[in-house]
Amino acid sequence: MLWLSLVALMALLQGSAAVEFTFDLADNAEDCFYEEIKRNTSAYFEFQVSAGGQQDVDVTLKDPQNKIIYSLERATFDSHQFTAEITGVYTACFSNKFSAFSHKIVYVDFQVGDEPSLPGVDEHATVLTQMETSAQAIHKALNDILDAQTHHRLREAQGRKRAEDINQRVMVWASLETASVILIGLVQILVLRNFFTDRKPSQARYGRL
């Protein structure tokens, strides 16, 4: 079983042309990323805004001739699969120009080409042995685990950001309440002090009479 795990792990490490990352998109800004794709090669593009403002961005995907092949406005999450018609550099742009105050945290997954086959398993046309079948199953399970971990991390980041925002609002509200209580207490002390201070001269005149 250890050998099967190592084979599957080596296939994942060798990997196809896949790019997966998270970046900070500043307010009123636009960032573009580039990927070279050969003709008739399939590609998979996915993004998700994990934090910031209303969690939305404008997305545009262009081919080497600057032709728009995919576009979406103020989207939080989406995916797009396509086959390159020409060889060249494809551009994926994320725009936050409609937001003047809040920056966005964006996750991007750009996969190009088919997933590479397991070394020594899918290279022959004969019937697969039980060990090779098990290696393929482990390979698929590892890929599913990686995808699940990625989406769980995104949900965790969203939950953490939401919790931090709520905590900040609670702290601000609690600070305002504390300041209000202290201010009301000081005002009451001053009012009571002035009240007794104003009565002293009258009491002194009554004493002389």
Side-chain angles (χ1 to χ4, degrees):
M1 292 300 294
L2 179 60
W3 179 84
L4 296 177
S5 300
L6 290 176
V7 170
L9 182 59
M10 287 174 59
L12 287 178
L13 292 178
Q14 288 177 356
S16 58
V19 178
E20 186 177 4
F21 59 93
T22 302
F23 71 99
D24 190 344
L25 181 60
D27 53 277
N28 198 24
E30 181 179 15
D31 289 338
C32 295
F33 303 93
Y34 308 91
E35 183 71 24
E36 185 175 359
I37 307 176
K38 295 182 179 180
R39 183 181 179 183
N40 295 329
T41 302
S42 62
Y44 177 78
F45 174 73
E46 179 183 354
F47 73 93
Q48 180 174 346
V49 183
S50 60
Q54 300 296 323
Q55 297 184 355
D56 53 352
V57 293
D58 294 340
V59 184
T60 304
L61 185 61
K62 299 179 181 180
D63 65 6
Q65 297 178 347
N66 208 29
K67 177 183 176 182
I68 297 177
I69 59 178
Y70 171 79
S71 179
L72 208 59
E73 294 183 355
R74 298 202 172 187
T76 300
F77 168 83
D78 198 22
S79 60
H80 179 67
Q81 189 168 5
F82 64 98
T83 301
E85 297 181 355
I86 56 176
T87 300
V89 177
Y90 287 73
T91 306
C93 292
F94 298 86
S95 176
N96 193 30
K97 291 185 177 181
F98 57 85
S99 178
F101 302 100
S102 59
H103 68 282
K104 312 291 175 62
I105 305 297
V106 184
Y107 161 80
V108 180
D109 183 10
F110 206 158
Q111 301 178 8
V112 178
D114 297 329
E115 185 178 353
S117 59
L118 287 174
V121 176
D122 297 333
E123 297 176 354
H124 55 81
T126 59
V127 178
L128 297 179
T129 64
Q130 183 177 0
M131 182 175 293
E132 292 170 342
T133 303
S134 299
Q136 284 185 333
I138 293 175
H139 183 207
K140 183 179 183 302
L142 288 175
N143 284 332
D144 294 339
I145 291 173
L146 289 176
D147 292 338
Q149 286 180 338
T150 299
H151 289 288
H152 279 300
R153 289 193 188 100
L154 291 175
R155 284 195 290 268
E156 179 186 1
Q158 291 177 342
R160 186 187 303 113
K161 180 61 177 178
R162 188 176 295 109
E164 291 176 353
D165 291 340
I166 294 176
N167 180 64
Q168 184 178 4
R169 295 178 184 179
V170 171
M171 289 295 295
V172 171
W173 182 255
S175 300
L176 291 176
E177 285 188 338
T178 302
S180 300
V181 170
I182 295 175
L183 180 60
I184 292 174
L186 292 176
V187 171
Q188 289 178 343
I189 292 174
L190 291 176
V191 170
L192 291 175
R193 184 177 179 181
N194 291 334
F195 177 75
F196 288 108
T197 301
D198 293 338
R199 289 176 60 89
K200 285 182 179 180
S202 300
Q203 294 176 354
R205 287 196 297 270
Y206 287 140
R208 288 194 297 269
L209 293 175

